[in-house]
Amino acid sequence: MKELNCEQVSILLTYFIDKKLSDKLIGEIEYHLNTCPNCRERYMSMLRIKKNYQEMKEKICTEDEDTLLINTFMEREYMNFQNNLSSYLDNELDDRENIRIKKFAILSPTARQDLEDMIYFRQILQDSFSKTKSKLKKDLSELTIDKLTRKEKNNRPNEYTQNRFSLLLLIIISFVTSILILFYT
Amino acid sequence: MEPSKHRYKKMRTDELIVLAQSDDIKALEELLRTEQRNVFATFSYLTHKRQDVADLTQEALLRVAQNIKTLKDPKHFKSWLNQIVTHLFYDELRKISRKPDIISIDAETDNETGFSIKNILPDTKCKPAEKCISSELEEIIKDKIRSLPRQFRIAIVLRELQGLSYDEIATATQSSIGTVKSRIARARTKLQDGLKNYI
Ligand SMILES: [Zn+2]
């Protein structure tokens, strides 16, 4: 049989690399590559490209997976962060959750911004409360003590009238009972 | 009596409470004096009617004075005081819902539209704190807090103004800690949203 020329080999090289040829053709191409430096050089460079491409593809794939993993992690942690930020600022979380919030604030600039916004907002609230407190002009404490002592004084006549009423009731009851006793005896 | 009055001013709250519980009327008065601003501010953020705030504050102080002996542990004073405040606030709500036409007549006119945002920006360097924000911003914040649903309103005020723990707020409002936690978180988000154009 006639040997393969360079054109034929170059056309078949991709199939050769992907091992999609018959054993007979593979043997002939191997024979040609051993004898022709040009085609061997071409073959080696094609192998390198394929290898690089595969590495690149693998790299991209794992990167995608990593990104996906990181994104899921970040999303989950951010949701947790948002849910617990308020309690974190009130010091109402346990140690483990406390550290989790702190770590995430370091990791995520968005979370850090949320935290800073919330702290600023609370400061404004505190300032507002202080201002409102300063707006009570009248001293109510003396007034309250006055009311308290007046109420206590007022309570005494009440007790007195109550006592008089029960006394009256007692007299009536004894009177009625005595009459009844007299009547039946 | 000046020097003894001065003596009371230097006392801590728990000392005043113990003295007040043993019929020391001057200690009681000083206790009320130190607490009145706090109570006044609390009602200012809870109730819509401005004229009610002084009356409610007065009534709360009177109840403190009348019942101070029933407080077992002076450490629980703040929580106890806020239970009185909460009860009065709930009573007030009940009264208002019974005569709804009165609120519309007495409703405050708070729409101050004539200010620029620059006027209400807080000055971060100023002291004391109450000078830092303008009265306009204070009114806006009051307004936003008072327009929250009542349970959110009371939770955020007891937390931020009174500094109560979630546990204490749960007791005062007769709800669970989980409920308190979510009410406070949601109240904060709502307020932050509502105030983001002003702060
Ligand atoms: Zn060749």
Side-chain angles (χ1 to χ4, degrees), chain B residues 66-121:
Chain B
Q66 284 169 331
N67 299 304
I68 191 72
K69 283 183 188 174
T70 65
L71 174 67
K72 286 187 189 79
D73 187 348
K75 277 196 206 82
H76 297 150
F77 176 70
K78 201 158 194 145
S79 177
W80 177 75
L81 166 68
N82 280 293
Q83 283 178 39
I84 293 175
V85 168
T86 315
H87 280 306
L88 280 171
F89 172 60
Y90 286 150
D91 283 350
E92 188 63 14
L93 285 174
R94 244 169 269 141
K95 266 186 237 160
I96 289 169
S97 62
R98 247 181 267 134
K99 28 181 184 175
D101 33 340
I102 287 175
I103 3 164
S104 58
I105 295 164
D106 295 332
E108 286 173 47
T109 46
D110 266 338
N111 359 318
E112 290 160 74
T113 39
F115 61 85
S116 74
I117 285 179
K118 211 180 173 188
N119 281 344
I120 58 166
L121 278 177

Side-chain angles (χ1 to χ4, degrees), chain A residues 4-10 32-33 35-40 42:
Chain A
L4 292 169
N5 63 29
C6 290
E7 270 70 50
Q8 287 169 314
V9 168
S10 81
H32 182 88
L33 293 177
T35 52
C36 169
N38 279 347
C39 282
R40 196 164 58 243
R42 196 189 188 87

Side-chain angles (χ1 to χ4, degrees), chain A:
Chain A
M1 118 173 210
K2 211 170 166 272
E3 275 178 33
L4 292 169
N5 63 29
C6 290
E7 270 70 50
Q8 287 169 314
V9 168
S10 81
I11 287 166
L12 293 172
L13 263 182
T14 40
Y15 300 101
F16 175 74
I17 287 169
D18 288 341
K19 296 183 175 90
K20 279 172 183 166
L21 296 172
S22 65
D23 291 347
K24 191 173 160 276
L25 267 176
I26 287 175
E28 282 177 24
I29 290 169
E30 274 171 352
Y31 174 77
H32 182 88
L33 293 177
N34 282 335
T35 52
C36 169
N38 279 347
C39 282
R40 196 164 58 243
E41 183 51 44
R42 196 189 188 87
Y43 167 69
M44 294 306 281
S45 103
M46 276 178 81
L47 263 188
R48 270 197 303 275
I49 289 168
K50 189 184 153 85
K51 202 177 158 235
N52 280 346
Y53 173 73
Q54 253 165 355
E55 271 176 8
M56 229 163 67
K57 206 173 145 194
E58 269 165 29
K59 214 173 161 189
I60 288 166
C61 278
T62 43
E63 249 177 26
D64 271 359
E65 269 163 31
D66 282 353
T67 325
L68 209 71
L69 265 170
I70 288 169
N71 280 346
T72 335
F73 169 79
M74 292 297 269
E75 260 168 45
R76 197 192 60 212
E77 286 303 294
Y78 188 51
M79 255 174 71
N80 177 69
F81 179 85
Q82 282 181 314
N83 284 337
N84 284 325
L85 177 59
S86 171
S87 313
Y88 169 75
L89 287 170
D90 290 331
N91 213 5
E92 296 272 355
L93 291 179
D94 59 41
D95 290 348
R96 205 179 60 88
E97 283 297 325
N98 234 2
I99 289 166
R100 194 169 162 194
I101 296 290
K102 267 186 212 161
K103 274 188 178 165
F104 191 70
I106 293 165
L107 200 66
S108 155
T110 320
R112 204 158 47 243
Q113 189 60 51
D114 287 352
L115 180 66
E116 278 165 18
D117 287 350
M118 185 75 97
I119 289 170
Y120 177 65
F121 159 73
R122 292 186 75 199
Q123 187 53 54
I124 299 277
L125 274 193
Q126 288 310 318
D127 291 353
S128 183
F129 293 150
S130 306
K131 202 178 186 83
T132 312
K133 280 181 197 168
S134 73
K135 283 190 171 167
L136 176 67
K137 300 295 178 209
K138 172 162 77 165
D139 183 3
L140 294 174
S141 56
E142 244 183 88
L143 227 85
T144 311
I145 298 295
D146 278 355
K147 275 197 176 183
L148 182 75
T149 40
R150 227 183 305 139
K151 245 187 192 165
E152 273 170 4
K153 269 179 208 148
N154 287 342
N155 276 346
R156 259 166 245 148
N158 272 346
E159 274 166 35
Y160 181 62
T161 35
Q162 253 178 19
N163 283 348
R164 279 185 62 170
F165 180 71
S166 14
L167 198 69
L168 194 70
L169 202 72
L170 200 72
I171 291 167
I172 292 170
I173 290 170
S174 355
F175 184 70
V176 170
T177 346
S178 0
I179 285 180
L180 283 174
I181 289 166
L182 273 175
F183 185 78
Y184 281 108
T185 49

